Amino acid sequence: MITLGIETSCDETAIGVIDDGKVLANIVSSQIAHTKFGGVVPEIAARNHVKVIVPLTKAALEIARINLADVDLISVTRGPGLVGALLVGLSYAKSLAISLRKPIIGVNHLEGHVYALQLANEALRFPYLVLLVSGGHTEIVFVEEAFRYHTLGRTLDDACGEAFDKVAKLLGLPYPGGPYIEQHAREGNIGAVDFPVPHPKGMSFSYAGLKTAVLYYTREHADHKVNDVAANFQEAALEHLVQVVSRGLEETKVQHLGLVGGVTVNSRLREKFTNLARNRGITLHLPEVQYCTDNGVMIARVGAERFKRFGPSDLTIDVVAREKLEDIT
Ligand code: KG4
Ligand code: ZN
């Protein structure tokens, strides 16, 4: 079954094509128009999706060496995300479904990230824990069985990627800041600055305090070294993730852990979690970088799985700005 996946929930227009478990195409157009604003401007995001979605789909079909008529299912992100941006993808998906007379399925972006794990390792076994860390989300989820999620904790304030982006902005680095923080951190000395690892209750995450500590430090030390600030912020931010996940592993006793979302591209994060998995004797599932950030393949994959189990969506489906994994209908 050939599935076309369409993702437009934020500032990436992404198209994926899969044939059952095989990836035929995966292309992403990242919008650089937001860089000068230091964050995503919703209206600009929506307009840019309109500009690129048709040529991007054509390019994906060419790479996949198929025609539109070969597509059996259209899977599209219906939320959570920016409503205007989501509407572009959903309207396009509906028009394709109507003109091709093919089924459509609207899927949850977060569940898409979870299904990126299927692309990492087919040996993933239930139950497992997923750490989802992106620009908009930071959550730890217990996946009991297919489509059954229990979020054990989420961020009380900023998402982890958002904290990377805000600290990068403080340091005068471009948006999105995560990759720039990582790059500067490589040249910095861990221990040169003492930033506290956040300790909220239970399995919650929190980045507001750490972000403020960086703000005060840079204000009070005009001669601060960007590399050292980046290295020590990154270390505290990632150590926080490791500590919460360790607690999750202890409580649930699961043997499989998956990491998904844009922040998991970070090589220091990969190193820290590889060590954690080794020390605890659990199996770590880390998708390739191209499947960690927003992409259309994960949307195609989750859509295909949901379609097999629950059938298609109705053409009247709408976008949703928010939707928890537990609440997917
Ligand atoms: O999953 P994603 O592509 O989009 C959503 O937010 O859904 O994640 C983007 C986030 C941004 O905040 C970006 O700064 C962060 O992932 N990111 C990184 C790195 N690469 C991207 N954070 C830390 N280190 C990186 N290398
Ligand atoms: Zn995402």
mmCIF file of all heavy atoms in Angstrom, residues 76-112:
data_model
loop_
_atom_site.group_PDB
_atom_site.id
_atom_site.type_symbol
_atom_site.label_atom_id
_atom_site.label_comp_id
_atom_site.label_asym_id
_atom_site.label_seq_id
_atom_site.Cartn_x
_atom_site.Cartn_y
_atom_site.Cartn_z
ATOM 1 N N VAL A 76 -2.335 12.921 6.488
ATOM 2 C CA VAL A 76 -1.995 14.336 6.689
ATOM 3 C C VAL A 76 -2.056 14.706 8.168
ATOM 4 O O VAL A 76 -2.911 14.198 8.907
ATOM 5 C CB VAL A 76 -2.936 15.227 5.840
ATOM 6 C CG1 VAL A 76 -4.405 15.010 6.195
ATOM 7 C CG2 VAL A 76 -2.586 16.706 5.964
ATOM 8 N N THR A 77 -1.148 15.576 8.604
ATOM 9 C CA THR A 77 -1.169 16.051 9.989
ATOM 10 C C THR A 77 -2.363 16.974 10.187
ATOM 11 O O THR A 77 -2.518 17.943 9.456
ATOM 12 C CB THR A 77 0.115 16.852 10.303
ATOM 13 O OG1 THR A 77 1.234 16.053 9.965
ATOM 14 C CG2 THR A 77 0.168 17.237 11.769
ATOM 15 N N ARG A 78 -3.191 16.652 11.196
ATOM 16 C CA ARG A 78 -4.337 17.539 11.470
ATOM 17 C C ARG A 78 -4.139 18.348 12.753
ATOM 18 O O ARG A 78 -4.921 19.216 13.096
ATOM 19 C CB ARG A 78 -5.639 16.746 11.535
ATOM 20 C CG ARG A 78 -5.738 15.769 12.679
ATOM 21 C CD ARG A 78 -7.007 14.954 12.579
ATOM 22 N NE ARG A 78 -8.172 15.735 12.906
ATOM 23 C CZ ARG A 78 -8.915 15.572 14.016
ATOM 24 N NH1 ARG A 78 -8.579 14.644 14.884
ATOM 25 N NH2 ARG A 78 -9.963 16.287 14.239
ATOM 26 N N GLY A 79 -3.038 18.075 13.475
ATOM 27 C CA GLY A 79 -2.720 18.820 14.688
ATOM 28 C C GLY A 79 -1.853 17.958 15.588
ATOM 29 O O GLY A 79 -1.599 16.809 15.242
ATOM 30 N N PRO A 80 -1.340 18.432 16.708
ATOM 31 C CA PRO A 80 -1.384 19.832 17.096
ATOM 32 C C PRO A 80 -0.405 20.674 16.290
ATOM 33 O O PRO A 80 0.531 20.122 15.697
ATOM 34 C CB PRO A 80 -0.973 19.786 18.579
ATOM 35 C CG PRO A 80 -0.170 18.541 18.725
ATOM 36 C CD PRO A 80 -0.658 17.582 17.689
ATOM 37 N N GLY A 81 -0.637 21.984 16.260
ATOM 38 C CA GLY A 81 0.257 22.870 15.525
ATOM 39 C C GLY A 81 -0.406 24.201 15.267
ATOM 40 O O GLY A 81 -1.417 24.540 15.883
ATOM 41 N N LEU A 82 0.170 24.950 14.328
ATOM 42 C CA LEU A 82 -0.360 26.267 13.968
ATOM 43 C C LEU A 82 -1.554 26.063 13.040
ATOM 44 O O LEU A 82 -1.424 25.409 11.997
ATOM 45 C CB LEU A 82 0.707 27.086 13.247
ATOM 46 C CG LEU A 82 2.029 27.281 14.003
ATOM 47 C CD1 LEU A 82 3.082 27.911 13.096
ATOM 48 C CD2 LEU A 82 1.788 28.149 15.236
ATOM 49 N N VAL A 83 -2.684 26.618 13.423
ATOM 50 C CA VAL A 83 -3.926 26.337 12.694
ATOM 51 C C VAL A 83 -3.836 26.716 11.210
ATOM 52 O O VAL A 83 -4.201 25.937 10.331
ATOM 53 C CB VAL A 83 -5.108 27.044 13.402
ATOM 54 C CG1 VAL A 83 -6.336 27.068 12.515
ATOM 55 C CG2 VAL A 83 -5.427 26.319 14.698
ATOM 56 N N GLY A 84 -3.334 27.900 10.918
ATOM 57 C CA GLY A 84 -3.240 28.344 9.520
ATOM 58 C C GLY A 84 -2.335 27.441 8.706
ATOM 59 O O GLY A 84 -2.629 27.086 7.560
ATOM 60 N N ALA A 85 -1.228 27.037 9.302
ATOM 61 C CA ALA A 85 -0.269 26.159 8.622
ATOM 62 C C ALA A 85 -0.889 24.777 8.386
ATOM 63 O O ALA A 85 -0.789 24.210 7.294
ATOM 64 C CB ALA A 85 0.997 26.046 9.464
ATOM 65 N N LEU A 86 -1.558 24.261 9.425
ATOM 66 C CA LEU A 86 -2.204 22.945 9.313
ATOM 67 C C LEU A 86 -3.272 22.949 8.219
ATOM 68 O O LEU A 86 -3.425 21.964 7.474
ATOM 69 C CB LEU A 86 -2.861 22.558 10.638
ATOM 70 C CG LEU A 86 -1.928 22.189 11.793
ATOM 71 C CD1 LEU A 86 -2.665 22.260 13.124
ATOM 72 C CD2 LEU A 86 -1.344 20.791 11.584
ATOM 73 N N LEU A 87 -4.003 24.067 8.137
ATOM 74 C CA LEU A 87 -5.100 24.151 7.162
ATOM 75 C C LEU A 87 -4.602 24.012 5.728
ATOM 76 O O LEU A 87 -5.294 23.451 4.875
ATOM 77 C CB LEU A 87 -5.845 25.483 7.319
ATOM 78 C CG LEU A 87 -6.988 25.478 8.328
ATOM 79 C CD1 LEU A 87 -7.480 26.898 8.572
ATOM 80 C CD2 LEU A 87 -8.133 24.586 7.851
ATOM 81 N N VAL A 88 -3.396 24.501 5.462
ATOM 82 C CA VAL A 88 -2.846 24.395 4.104
ATOM 83 C C VAL A 88 -2.671 22.917 3.746
ATOM 84 O O VAL A 88 -3.125 22.460 2.695
ATOM 85 C CB VAL A 88 -1.498 25.144 3.979
ATOM 86 C CG1 VAL A 88 -0.912 24.952 2.578
ATOM 87 C CG2 VAL A 88 -1.670 26.621 4.293
ATOM 88 N N GLY A 89 -2.040 22.171 4.648
ATOM 89 C CA GLY A 89 -1.809 20.750 4.393
ATOM 90 C C GLY A 89 -3.105 19.966 4.295
ATOM 91 O O GLY A 89 -3.286 19.139 3.399
ATOM 92 N N LEU A 90 -4.028 20.240 5.231
ATOM 93 C CA LEU A 90 -5.277 19.471 5.254
ATOM 94 C C LEU A 90 -6.136 19.776 4.018
ATOM 95 O O LEU A 90 -6.702 18.861 3.405
ATOM 96 C CB LEU A 90 -6.061 19.746 6.548
ATOM 97 C CG LEU A 90 -7.357 18.947 6.694
ATOM 98 C CD1 LEU A 90 -7.081 17.443 6.700
ATOM 99 C CD2 LEU A 90 -8.100 19.320 7.977
ATOM 100 N N SER A 91 -6.200 21.051 3.623
ATOM 101 C CA SER A 91 -7.007 21.401 2.447
ATOM 102 C C SER A 91 -6.421 20.751 1.194
ATOM 103 O O SER A 91 -7.156 20.241 0.340
ATOM 104 C CB SER A 91 -7.044 22.918 2.238
ATOM 105 O OG SER A 91 -7.401 23.552 3.419
ATOM 106 N N TYR A 92 -5.102 20.777 1.100
ATOM 107 C CA TYR A 92 -4.439 20.159 -0.053
ATOM 108 C C TYR A 92 -4.703 18.645 -0.057
ATOM 109 O O TYR A 92 -5.039 18.062 -1.097
ATOM 110 C CB TYR A 92 -2.941 20.461 0.016
ATOM 111 C CG TYR A 92 -2.142 19.855 -1.110
ATOM 112 C CD1 TYR A 92 -2.444 20.155 -2.440
ATOM 113 C CD2 TYR A 92 -1.082 18.982 -0.858
ATOM 114 C CE1 TYR A 92 -1.709 19.599 -3.487
ATOM 115 C CE2 TYR A 92 -0.348 18.431 -1.885
ATOM 116 C CZ TYR A 92 -0.662 18.743 -3.198
ATOM 117 O OH TYR A 92 0.070 18.183 -4.219
ATOM 118 N N ALA A 93 -4.573 18.029 1.109
ATOM 119 C CA ALA A 93 -4.801 16.577 1.209
ATOM 120 C C ALA A 93 -6.239 16.229 0.822
ATOM 121 O O ALA A 93 -6.489 15.243 0.113
ATOM 122 C CB ALA A 93 -4.505 16.104 2.632
ATOM 123 N N LYS A 94 -7.185 17.049 1.266
ATOM 124 C CA LYS A 94 -8.589 16.787 0.922
ATOM 125 C C LYS A 94 -8.808 16.922 -0.583
ATOM 126 O O LYS A 94 -9.520 16.114 -1.190
ATOM 127 C CB LYS A 94 -9.511 17.776 1.655
ATOM 128 C CG LYS A 94 -9.730 17.453 3.121
ATOM 129 C CD LYS A 94 -10.729 18.437 3.717
ATOM 130 C CE LYS A 94 -10.933 18.198 5.195
ATOM 131 N NZ LYS A 94 -11.880 19.143 5.798
ATOM 132 N N SER A 95 -8.213 17.943 -1.190
ATOM 133 C CA SER A 95 -8.406 18.126 -2.637
ATOM 134 C C SER A 95 -7.817 16.948 -3.409
ATOM 135 O O SER A 95 -8.402 16.485 -4.388
ATOM 136 C CB SER A 95 -7.815 19.459 -3.104
ATOM 137 O OG SER A 95 -6.425 19.446 -2.956
ATOM 138 N N LEU A 96 -6.686 16.433 -2.928
ATOM 139 C CA LEU A 96 -6.104 15.252 -3.577
ATOM 140 C C LEU A 96 -7.028 14.047 -3.417
ATOM 141 O O LEU A 96 -7.277 13.299 -4.380
ATOM 142 C CB LEU A 96 -4.742 14.907 -2.960
ATOM 143 C CG LEU A 96 -3.536 15.772 -3.339
ATOM 144 C CD1 LEU A 96 -2.308 15.289 -2.581
ATOM 145 C CD2 LEU A 96 -3.274 15.724 -4.839
ATOM 146 N N ALA A 97 -7.531 13.868 -2.202
ATOM 147 C CA ALA A 97 -8.395 12.713 -1.922
ATOM 148 C C ALA A 97 -9.653 12.753 -2.798
ATOM 149 O O ALA A 97 -10.075 11.728 -3.343
ATOM 150 C CB ALA A 97 -8.778 12.682 -0.445
ATOM 151 N N ILE A 98 -10.227 13.935 -2.933
ATOM 152 C CA ILE A 98 -11.457 14.060 -3.732
ATOM 153 C C ILE A 98 -11.157 13.812 -5.210
ATOM 154 O O ILE A 98 -11.834 13.027 -5.873
ATOM 155 C CB ILE A 98 -12.097 15.456 -3.533
ATOM 156 C CG1 ILE A 98 -12.614 15.592 -2.097
ATOM 157 C CG2 ILE A 98 -13.231 15.691 -4.536
ATOM 158 C CD1 ILE A 98 -12.972 17.019 -1.687
ATOM 159 N N SER A 99 -10.105 14.464 -5.723
ATOM 160 C CA SER A 99 -9.839 14.330 -7.161
ATOM 161 C C SER A 99 -9.334 12.932 -7.521
ATOM 162 O O SER A 99 -9.640 12.420 -8.599
ATOM 163 C CB SER A 99 -8.862 15.404 -7.636
ATOM 164 O OG SER A 99 -7.672 15.294 -6.914
ATOM 165 N N LEU A 100 -8.595 12.297 -6.628
ATOM 166 C CA LEU A 100 -8.069 10.949 -6.927
ATOM 167 C C LEU A 100 -9.015 9.833 -6.496
ATOM 168 O O LEU A 100 -8.789 8.669 -6.778
ATOM 169 C CB LEU A 100 -6.723 10.740 -6.211
ATOM 170 C CG LEU A 100 -5.574 11.671 -6.585
ATOM 171 C CD1 LEU A 100 -4.412 11.494 -5.624
ATOM 172 C CD2 LEU A 100 -5.115 11.394 -8.018
ATOM 173 N N ARG A 101 -10.063 10.230 -5.738
ATOM 174 C CA ARG A 101 -10.996 9.253 -5.156
ATOM 175 C C ARG A 101 -10.247 8.221 -4.303
ATOM 176 O O ARG A 101 -10.415 6.999 -4.446
ATOM 177 C CB ARG A 101 -11.790 8.525 -6.247
ATOM 178 C CG ARG A 101 -12.705 9.425 -7.025
ATOM 179 C CD ARG A 101 -13.239 8.674 -8.227
ATOM 180 N NE ARG A 101 -13.780 9.594 -9.208
ATOM 181 C CZ ARG A 101 -15.048 9.995 -9.251
ATOM 182 N NH1 ARG A 101 -15.913 9.532 -8.376
ATOM 183 N NH2 ARG A 101 -15.448 10.831 -10.166
ATOM 184 N N LYS A 102 -9.379 8.754 -3.434
ATOM 185 C CA LYS A 102 -8.602 7.891 -2.541
ATOM 186 C C LYS A 102 -8.909 8.253 -1.085
ATOM 187 O O LYS A 102 -9.313 9.388 -0.800
ATOM 188 C CB LYS A 102 -7.099 8.076 -2.808
ATOM 189 C CG LYS A 102 -6.649 7.596 -4.177
ATOM 190 C CD LYS A 102 -6.684 6.086 -4.283
ATOM 191 C CE LYS A 102 -6.618 5.573 -5.705
ATOM 192 N NZ LYS A 102 -5.385 5.789 -6.413
ATOM 193 N N PRO A 103 -8.739 7.296 -0.160
ATOM 194 C CA PRO A 103 -9.032 7.596 1.249
ATOM 195 C C PRO A 103 -8.029 8.580 1.846
ATOM 196 O O PRO A 103 -6.866 8.632 1.435
ATOM 197 C CB PRO A 103 -8.937 6.231 1.933
ATOM 198 C CG PRO A 103 -8.124 5.392 1.029
ATOM 199 C CD PRO A 103 -8.331 5.901 -0.361
ATOM 200 N N ILE A 104 -8.519 9.328 2.822
ATOM 201 C CA ILE A 104 -7.666 10.289 3.547
ATOM 202 C C ILE A 104 -7.677 9.903 5.015
ATOM 203 O O ILE A 104 -8.673 9.372 5.518
ATOM 204 C CB ILE A 104 -8.197 11.731 3.350
ATOM 205 C CG1 ILE A 104 -7.258 12.756 4.001
ATOM 206 C CG2 ILE A 104 -9.611 11.900 3.896
ATOM 207 C CD1 ILE A 104 -7.647 14.218 3.706
ATOM 208 N N ILE A 105 -6.559 10.157 5.696
ATOM 209 C CA ILE A 105 -6.554 9.964 7.150
ATOM 210 C C ILE A 105 -5.827 11.136 7.795
ATOM 211 O O ILE A 105 -4.731 11.511 7.379
ATOM 212 C CB ILE A 105 -5.958 8.584 7.544
ATOM 213 C CG1 ILE A 105 -6.078 8.377 9.049
ATOM 214 C CG2 ILE A 105 -4.519 8.411 7.079
ATOM 215 C CD1 ILE A 105 -6.144 6.922 9.456
ATOM 216 N N GLY A 106 -6.478 11.750 8.775
ATOM 217 C CA GLY A 106 -5.875 12.873 9.501
ATOM 218 C C GLY A 106 -5.189 12.325 10.733
ATOM 219 O O GLY A 106 -5.776 11.539 11.478
ATOM 220 N N VAL A 107 -3.921 12.706 10.957
ATOM 221 C CA VAL A 107 -3.180 12.121 12.079
ATOM 222 C C VAL A 107 -2.609 13.192 13.004
ATOM 223 O O VAL A 107 -2.501 14.363 12.651
ATOM 224 C CB VAL A 107 -2.044 11.177 11.596
ATOM 225 C CG1 VAL A 107 -2.604 10.058 10.751
ATOM 226 C CG2 VAL A 107 -0.960 11.939 10.856
ATOM 227 N N ASN A 108 -2.243 12.725 14.198
ATOM 228 C CA ASN A 108 -1.671 13.579 15.235
ATOM 229 C C ASN A 108 -0.152 13.665 15.027
ATOM 230 O O ASN A 108 0.527 12.646 14.885
ATOM 231 C CB ASN A 108 -2.022 12.955 16.594
ATOM 232 C CG ASN A 108 -1.439 13.705 17.756
ATOM 233 O OD1 ASN A 108 -0.227 13.745 17.943
ATOM 234 N ND2 ASN A 108 -2.300 14.280 18.574
ATOM 235 N N HIS A 109 0.368 14.881 15.031
ATOM 236 C CA HIS A 109 1.794 15.107 14.794
ATOM 237 C C HIS A 109 2.689 14.377 15.810
ATOM 238 O O HIS A 109 3.719 13.807 15.462
ATOM 239 C CB HIS A 109 2.054 16.624 14.848
ATOM 240 C CG HIS A 109 3.463 17.012 14.637
ATOM 241 N ND1 HIS A 109 4.022 17.141 13.378
ATOM 242 C CD2 HIS A 109 4.451 17.307 15.508
ATOM 243 C CE1 HIS A 109 5.290 17.498 13.503
ATOM 244 N NE2 HIS A 109 5.571 17.602 14.785
ATOM 245 N N LEU A 110 2.260 14.380 17.071
ATOM 246 C CA LEU A 110 3.069 13.739 18.115
ATOM 247 C C LEU A 110 3.113 12.232 17.912
ATOM 248 O O LEU A 110 4.155 11.589 18.079
ATOM 249 C CB LEU A 110 2.497 14.048 19.507
ATOM 250 C CG LEU A 110 2.335 15.520 19.834
ATOM 251 C CD1 LEU A 110 1.725 15.699 21.212
ATOM 252 C CD2 LEU A 110 3.663 16.225 19.766
ATOM 253 N N GLU A 111 1.975 11.661 17.510
ATOM 254 C CA GLU A 111 1.957 10.225 17.241
ATOM 255 C C GLU A 111 2.831 9.918 16.025
ATOM 256 O O GLU A 111 3.458 8.870 15.939
ATOM 257 C CB GLU A 111 0.518 9.732 17.026
ATOM 258 C CG GLU A 111 0.423 8.225 17.099
ATOM 259 C CD GLU A 111 -1.006 7.699 16.964
ATOM 260 O OE1 GLU A 111 -1.803 8.298 16.221
ATOM 261 O OE2 GLU A 111 -1.300 6.661 17.598
ATOM 262 N N GLY A 112 2.886 10.876 15.102
ATOM 263 C CA GLY A 112 3.808 10.746 13.957
ATOM 264 C C GLY A 112 5.234 10.601 14.455
ATOM 265 O O GLY A 112 5.960 9.680 14.057
#
